[in-house]
Amino acid sequence: MSSINRRTLLLSTSACAAMPAWVSAQKAPALVTITKGLDHPWGLAFLPDGSALVTERSGRLRRVIINDKRLLPPITGTPESANNGEGGLLGLAIDPEFRANRFVFMAFTETRGGGTVTSVFRARLNEAHTALENGRIIFRQNVVGQENSHYGARIVFDRSNHLFVTTGDRQSWQDKGLKGEVQKPETYIGKIIRITREGTAAPGNPKLPGWAPEVWSTGHRNVQGAALHPETGQLWISDHGPRGGDEINMPEAGKNYGWPVISYGVEYSGGKVGEGTSKAGMEQPVYYWQETVAPSGMTFYSATKYPDWKGSLFVGSLRGLHLARLTFANGKVASQEKLFNGFSRFRDVVQGPDGRLYVLTDEPNPGGGLYVIGAAGDAA
C-alpha cells in the first residue's frame, strides 16, 4: 500500500537535511549540559519562574535552576511508587493556572491488589519549592497488571485545562489474565484518558455505549509521548509497536487505534500481530516507523530560537538513541532527521519558556541528564 494513498509516510532512514541557518559549518547543533547525575529522569516541565521540575523513575522529584545549572535536593511529598522494571515516578505536568493554584500532576506506578496500576497524583508545590502538600491520587487504572512494563504515563493539559493521561496495555496481548483488555472500552488498559483536575470524566468525552466515561480513545499499546499541536490544540501521541511499527497518532474522541488487532510491527518472535495492518473501524497511524525506535516524549516546536525548525515535531527515541525531527507538508509527515544519533536514550523533549529545546537522556550512557540544544561551543 503506498503511503501517498493514506495519511502515513514511512521513513526508516534519516532524511538528508540542510544545516539550520542558526548554526554554521563550524558550529553544528549540539547538546549543552545543564545537569547530570539524574536517576533515570522521565518527565520534564517548566515552572513560571523559568526553573524546571524533573521526575526520576526511582521516585524523586527534582528542581533544576536553569540559569546557573543547579540541581537541587529532592522535593518531599511525592507518592510512594513501585520502582521496578519500567515503573516508578513517570509523567509530569504543571497546571496551566499554576500561579494561582500551584498544582503539580504526576503519573506513577502504584502497588495495588497484588500488582501495579498507572495512577495520577495531584499536589500543591509550596512557595519555597521544597515540598508537595495536600497530595492525593485523583485517578488510577481499574485493572491491575502483573507485568512491570507498558505503563504509558504521559500527562498533557488540553486547552480546556483538562488532563489527557496515557495508559499502556501492560503486555496484555501476551498475558492470558489481561488478554483482550485493550479492546474493552470499559477498562483503562491501553487507553487515552481525559479527566478534570479532580479526576472525574471531563466534559466532551465520547459517552459511547459500554465506554468508561473517562476514556477518550482505545487501542493503544504503550503511549510514552504526548503533545498538543500549538495551532490546532489537537492531541498527538507516540506509541510503541512490538518489533517495528512504532506510531504517531492524533487520537480523536471515541476512536479505536487498533492494538493488538492491527499493527505495522511483528511479534518479537517474528510472527504476525493480530489480523494484519488494517481493519474496518480501526484507525491508521499518521506516521509509523518500520525500524524499532521506541518513541518517548515529544513536542512541537513553535518558537523562533531555531527558525528553521519552527513547526517541526520532535520525538525522543529510546532504542534508536536519537532525537527525531519530523517535518510536514500538506498535512503529512514529509521527512525525518535524526539528531545526535547514537548519543543516548532520549526520554523527553520540551520547549522551554526561553524558546529553546530541552531534552532528558536516560541511562545507561552517558547517564541521566538534562541538556539544552545550542550550537557547538555555546554556553547554556
Side-chain angles (χ1 to χ4, degrees):
M1 183 189 306
S2 170
S3 62
I4 302 301
N5 295 327
R6 55 184 177 84
R7 293 191 302 170
T8 304
L9 174 68
L10 171 63
L11 285 177
S12 60
T13 58
S14 176
C16 295
M19 185 69 71
W22 57 277
V23 298
S24 67
Q26 290 73 40
K27 283 193 169 186
L31 294 174
V32 180
T33 303
I34 300 297
T35 188
K36 294 183 180 179
L38 293 167
D39 184 7
H40 295 285
W42 215 95
L44 170 66
F46 283 86
L47 294 170
D49 65 1
S51 64
L53 296 183
V54 178
T55 54
E56 294 178 307
R57 203 175 68 198
S58 57
R60 299 184 301 190
L61 178 66
R62 310 294 293 271
R63 183 169 175 240
V64 181
I65 309 300
I66 299 296
N67 290 340
D68 57 7
K69 303 181 180 181
R70 276 192 297 139
L71 176 63
L72 300 182
I75 293 170
T76 62
T78 55
E80 184 176 349
S81 57
N83 179 24
N84 52 59
E86 296 176 6
L89 192 60
L90 305 174
L92 172 67
I94 305 301
D95 195 293
E97 298 177 345
F98 178 85
R99 292 182 187 275
N101 60 32
R102 303 193 66 83
F103 283 161
V104 175
F105 295 80
M106 292 172 286
F108 72 105
T109 56
E110 181 187 8
T111 299
R112 193 167 178 82
T116 53
V117 296
T118 298
S119 299
V120 177
F121 178 83
R122 188 193 78 184
R124 181 185 179 276
L125 181 63
N126 69 359
E127 297 287 345
H129 302 92
T130 57
L132 296 174
E133 301 172 340
N134 302 320
R136 68 183 184 91
I137 295 171
I138 63 167
F139 169 84
R140 56 170 57 97
Q141 280 181 313
N142 56 4
V143 176
V144 173
Q146 302 301 319
E147 300 284 348
N148 59 4
S149 58
H150 291 207
Y151 291 104
R154 286 290 173 193
I155 310 174
V156 174
F157 272 92
D158 68 13
R159 289 183 174 176
S160 299
N161 291 346
H162 301 311
L163 292 82
F164 284 114
V165 181
T166 75
T167 70
D169 71 351
R170 305 301 307 281
Q171 300 277 18
S172 58
W173 86 102
Q174 294 178 331
D175 182 343
K176 293 180 180 178
L178 291 181
K179 193 171 182 64
E181 294 293 333
V182 174
Q183 287 295 321
K184 294 178 181 178
E186 69 272 21
T187 77
Y188 303 146
I189 298 291
K191 305 295 192 294
I192 304 297
I193 303 297
R194 184 169 172 266
I195 54 176
T196 69
R197 291 182 176 103
E198 302 300 319
T200 60
N205 281 2
K207 296 183 180 179
L208 296 173
W211 283 50
E214 299 83 4
V215 172
W216 179 260
S217 61
T218 187
H220 305 287
R221 185 172 183 263
N222 188 21
V223 177
Q224 291 192 8
L228 289 193
H229 192 283
E231 296 177 0
T232 67
Q234 169 71 46
L235 176 68
W236 289 57
I237 62 168
S238 63
D239 197 359
H240 287 227
R243 200 175 84 185
D246 299 323
E247 298 181 355
I248 300 292
N249 284 297
M250 293 188 298
E252 296 181 34
K255 293 192 175 180
N256 186 336
Y257 290 81
W259 181 256
V261 180
I262 61 173
S263 175
Y264 283 90
V266 298
E267 291 279 8
Y268 296 117
S269 63
K272 185 177 74 171
V273 172
E275 300 178 19
T277 58
S278 64
K279 185 174 182 177
M282 295 183 175
E283 303 301 309
Q284 287 290 303
V286 172
Y287 178 89
Y288 73 91
W289 287 268
Q290 192 171 43
E291 61 185 308
T292 298
V293 298
S296 193
M298 57 191 281
T299 194
F300 285 94
Y301 185 68
S302 61
T304 58
K305 186 71 175 181
Y306 324 113
D308 303 282
W309 288 357
K310 189 171 183 179
S312 297
L313 176 62
F314 290 83
V315 185
S317 170
L318 300 171
R319 178 71 179 271
L321 305 180
H322 65 266
L323 180 66
R325 181 173 79 95
L326 304 182
T327 64
F328 299 85
N330 300 318
K332 299 178 181 179
V333 175
S335 69
Q336 174 189 213
E337 179 183 9
K338 294 180 180 179
L339 299 168
F340 318 115
N341 198 14
F343 180 75
S344 184
R345 289 162 54 86
F346 285 84
R347 176 61 72 179
D348 203 6
V349 53
V350 173
Q351 179 178 305
D354 58 3
R356 298 189 291 180
L357 285 171
Y358 292 80
V359 297
L360 290 178
T361 62
D362 201 354
E363 299 177 16
N365 180 48
L370 172 61
Y371 300 82
V372 62
I373 297 180
D378 285 355

